[in-house]
Amino acid sequence: MKLIHLSDIHLTVPGERMGGLDPHRRFAQALEHVNAHHSDADRIVITGDLTHWGERAAYEVLQNVLTEQAVPVRLLIGNHDDRERFKSVFTDHPCDANGYVNHAETLDDTRLIYLDSCAPKTHAGHFGADRLAWLEAELAAADHARIFMHHGPMEVGVPAKDLITMVAQDRPGLKSLFERYSTVIDYIHFGHVHAPIHGSYCGIPFSSVPSLGNQSIPDFAEPRMLLGGPLPPAYYVVQVDGRATRIHQVPFLWDGPVFATGTAWEDWAKPLAAE
Ligand SMILES: [Fe+2]
């Protein structure tokens, strides 16, 4: 199975910029690159912050773009999204019985679980008892699973980012669930932090993906402000082989030099004039 993980596209009303760039153009460039190089992917998963201001016109543009997209796309909402406005545009989008944009599907015997970790008017993640019950039912019925979410379920060790990670009161419930199903969950994939962060949690490997817009720069001393800048964007190619995972970060906008280097031992002979 091949999955494309991209995140935090922050679409605006067309014509409006965000963070000094045109998010529509950036999203189009990413999709163009995916379509050119990974048209065999099974899914494109966008882990939230589909829009920056939660505006209807931005969701409508996204809807239009996706009608022309050959690789099936799965959507999650993020803290910049507006759940009700999203649902009012994507009227057929699956939701759980409580109205959260929690949904799941089975692909190659793996349950792909897409979570809604949002709450109104807060940048932090929420995942209370009602959502936990839905997730537990999914995990109980799965042989193995892969979790996609906007907010990571844990603190990431950067003070300002931890102000907007999963709220403290909702972390223990998720942690306990992940511990109980650590042999079922193969991987946790998330966005939100606009940076690649990798590790393990409850014995489960996790990765966050860079944003399609501006990237954050980790500052381990700054207590409050999120630091960032126009570093190159990227998406992930996630190769799933049974229960194994390989993740490749693709700098799809790189237009600098590209060196081609041989892999045979003879290619490594030192030239007379070394560069
Ligand atoms: Fe974001």
Side-chain angles (χ1 to χ4, degrees):
M1 185 193 326
K2 182 198 270 194
L3 308 170
I4 304 299
H5 180 197
L6 56 91
S7 199
D8 296 81
I9 59 181
H10 290 264
L11 297 179
T12 54
V13 169
E16 291 182 358
R17 296 172 77 79
M18 193 285 294
L21 56 86
D22 175 358
H24 296 275
R25 174 166 160 73
R26 183 61 63 82
F27 184 40
Q29 290 170 314
L31 286 182
E32 194 178 313
H33 199 274
V34 168
N35 292 333
H37 299 279
H38 305 291
S39 61
D40 60 335
D42 296 288
R43 296 286 183 272
I44 296 171
V45 182
I46 309 178
T47 50
D49 282 356
L50 306 173
T51 66
H52 192 65
W53 303 106
E55 292 162 298
R56 184 176 186 83
Y59 289 119
E60 287 172 344
V61 172
L62 176 62
Q63 189 176 47
N64 282 339
V65 169
L66 297 189
T67 58
E68 295 169 9
Q69 181 56 44
V71 177
V73 178
R74 296 294 177 262
L75 302 175
L76 285 74
I77 57 171
N79 52 297
H80 281 271
D81 286 302
D82 181 304
R83 183 184 295 118
E84 296 313 314
R85 206 161 290 140
F86 168 81
K87 287 160 64 173
S88 76
V89 173
F90 291 87
T91 50
D92 296 330
H93 197 279
C95 294
D96 71 14
N98 294 313
Y100 296 112
V101 190
N102 286 320
H103 53 118
E105 63 179 331
T106 301
L107 204 61
D108 293 351
D109 298 325
T110 297
R111 195 69 173 158
L112 301 176
I113 301 177
Y114 311 112
L115 299 183
D116 173 346
S117 57
C118 299
K121 305 289 180 201
T122 171
H123 291 300
H126 287 71
F127 210 82
D130 48 357
R131 285 181 259 198
L132 281 176
W134 181 89
L135 178 55
E136 174 141 34
E138 281 293 331
L139 292 172
D143 288 332
H144 54 107
R146 196 165 281 273
I147 304 269
F148 291 87
M149 51 202 304
H150 180 65
H151 301 83
M154 79 297 277
E155 291 183 297
V156 297
V158 174
K161 288 182 180 177
D162 286 337
L163 294 177
I164 58 164
T165 191
M166 188 64 59
V167 288
Q169 68 265 28
D170 288 348
R171 275 183 238 141
L174 266 172
K175 183 167 186 270
S176 148
L177 195 58
F178 286 164
E179 282 170 346
R180 271 183 284 137
Y181 288 94
S182 63
T183 58
V184 171
I185 305 169
D186 293 337
Y187 217 96
I188 302 168
H189 307 268
F190 61 94
H192 186 49
V193 288
H194 292 216
I197 303 176
H198 313 287
S200 64
Y201 184 64
C202 305
I204 306 163
F206 71 79
S207 289
S208 64
V209 67
S211 153
L212 282 204
N214 291 325
Q215 310 306 322
S216 70
I217 298 170
D219 187 314
F220 300 90
E222 164 57 44
R224 200 168 57 84
M225 300 305 289
L226 292 164
L227 306 183
L231 281 72
Y235 63 77
Y236 284 164
V237 174
V238 181
Q239 296 173 317
V240 178
D241 186 1
R243 306 199 63 179
T245 305
R246 300 179 294 265
I247 297 184
H248 306 266
Q249 180 169 326
V250 180
F252 62 94
L253 280 191
W254 176 251
D255 61 357
V258 175
F259 306 120
T261 307
T263 54
W265 180 246
E266 306 82 65
D267 297 331
W268 293 87
K270 185 176 180 181
L272 290 178
E275 291 183 11

